[in-house]
Amino acid sequence: MTVPMPDGVQLPSVTNLRDMGGIATASGQRVAPGRLWRSSHFAELTPSDAPAVEALGLRCVIDLRGAVEREKAPSRLARPRLREVHLPIEPRAMGALRDLRAAGVVNEQALIAVMAEVYRRFVRQHAGIFATFLRLLGDDATPLPLVFHCTAGKDRTGWAAALVLLALGVPREAVVADFMRSNGRWRMQGEATDWALLASVRADYLGFAFEEIERGWGSVDAYLAEALGQDDKARQRLRARFLVDG
């Protein structure tokens, strides 16, 4: 599996690495290219691919993986001048899949129900983690360019990316489009149908999170302000750091 880079380089060892630059806000501004990256993990980064990653000039990495994930698959990113921040969100889907297999009830609807619960947890149980994540992005002391990632770069990273884009004023349909770009970029171990289903994302997953927000806060803007600390001033800081005129 390879991932197109902006300069045409292909990175077989870091799937789902991509620049968030170019995504347009409702006001016509765009996310500045080269400042904010999202990715899968860097534990399999090869010496042949490392120069392409080094060329990105990354200065900060935010790792959303759990402690065991990090221990089993330590990052191979070059450490000099790289600030590392660990904001752990322990994975839930894999354990849930094992439980479904043991019970003999693995099917598409059961897996969708698992992911619905994962995304609802993002909204409520992990609000503190995502609040810290957004605060770091808006802090001038956090060096750029920055990359944030989990293991696959699609769920924890996907929700983090959605929150950033929403805080920047990107329309929801564009947020969903960016989220869906993870499909086909990462493959789980094994070829079983249930693995393949968990390796993909669905627009429904964001829908579950938005429904949870609307039940608890009434709107995304209220959630950003009340649960994540993204009031007008905080969102202005984010926009100053990551947006450029169209």
Side-chain angles (χ1 to χ4, degrees):
M1 171 122 7
T2 58
V3 177
M5 298 287 284
D7 58 359
V9 175
Q10 302 289 313
L11 293 186
S13 65
V14 189
T15 60
N16 215 3
L17 170 65
R18 60 189 196 260
D19 187 357
M20 295 180 68
I23 299 174
T25 69
S27 67
Q29 291 183 296
R30 292 184 179 274
V31 179
R35 293 185 194 174
L36 188 62
W37 295 77
R38 54 174 293 177
S39 184
S40 54
H41 65 78
F42 292 88
E44 297 174 359
L45 179 64
T46 60
S48 59
D49 287 344
V53 175
E54 291 170 8
L56 304 180
L58 297 172
R59 298 180 61 205
C60 183
V61 55
I62 298 178
D63 189 343
L64 299 170
R65 295 179 298 166
V68 174
E69 289 174 285
R70 283 167 52 87
E71 182 180 349
K72 288 183 176 179
S75 175
R76 293 181 180 175
L77 281 174
R79 296 304 199 273
R81 299 182 302 280
L82 184 65
R83 178 182 175 187
E84 297 181 84
V85 180
H86 184 209
L87 299 179
I89 300 175
E90 299 298 333
R92 298 279 182 175
M94 303 296 286
L97 174 58
R98 286 191 290 269
D99 291 344
L100 290 174
R101 282 177 164 178
V105 292
V106 178
N107 56 58
E108 183 174 7
Q109 289 307 118
L111 290 171
I112 290 172
V114 166
M115 297 311 295
E117 182 60 23
V118 166
Y119 278 77
R120 291 178 183 128
R121 284 178 178 269
F122 289 164
V123 171
R124 291 192 178 271
Q125 280 91 337
H126 300 300
I129 290 287
F130 290 110
T132 300
F133 169 74
L134 291 174
R135 179 181 56 77
L136 284 169
L137 264 60
D139 188 346
D140 288 337
T142 301
L144 302 176
L146 176 149
V147 63
F148 59 97
H149 73 91
C150 53
T151 292
K154 67 183 184 68
D155 294 310
R156 289 165 288 188
T157 297
W159 181 239
L163 291 173
V164 175
L165 294 176
L166 290 165
L168 291 173
V170 173
R172 188 177 295 192
E173 59 269 23
V175 172
V176 174
D178 176 70
F179 178 77
M180 295 297 289
R181 286 179 62 203
S182 286
N183 282 335
R185 291 172 177 261
W186 186 74
R187 180 179 299 172
M188 297 180 74
Q189 296 177 354
E191 300 294 334
T193 300
D194 52 10
W195 289 110
L197 285 169
L198 280 190
S200 62
V201 293
R202 299 166 59 108
D204 291 348
Y205 297 167
L206 286 186
F208 298 135
F210 291 142
E211 288 171 2
E212 191 71 15
I213 285 173
E214 287 158 8
R215 273 196 296 267
W217 288 267
S219 70
V220 168
D221 284 341
Y223 177 73
L224 287 168
E226 297 169 17
L228 304 185
Q230 289 297 302
D231 58 15
D232 288 343
K233 288 184 178 180
R235 293 176 69 173
Q236 286 170 10
R237 287 193 294 270
L238 270 181
R239 290 166 179 163
R241 298 202 83 199
F242 293 108
L243 294 184
V244 293
D245 291 339

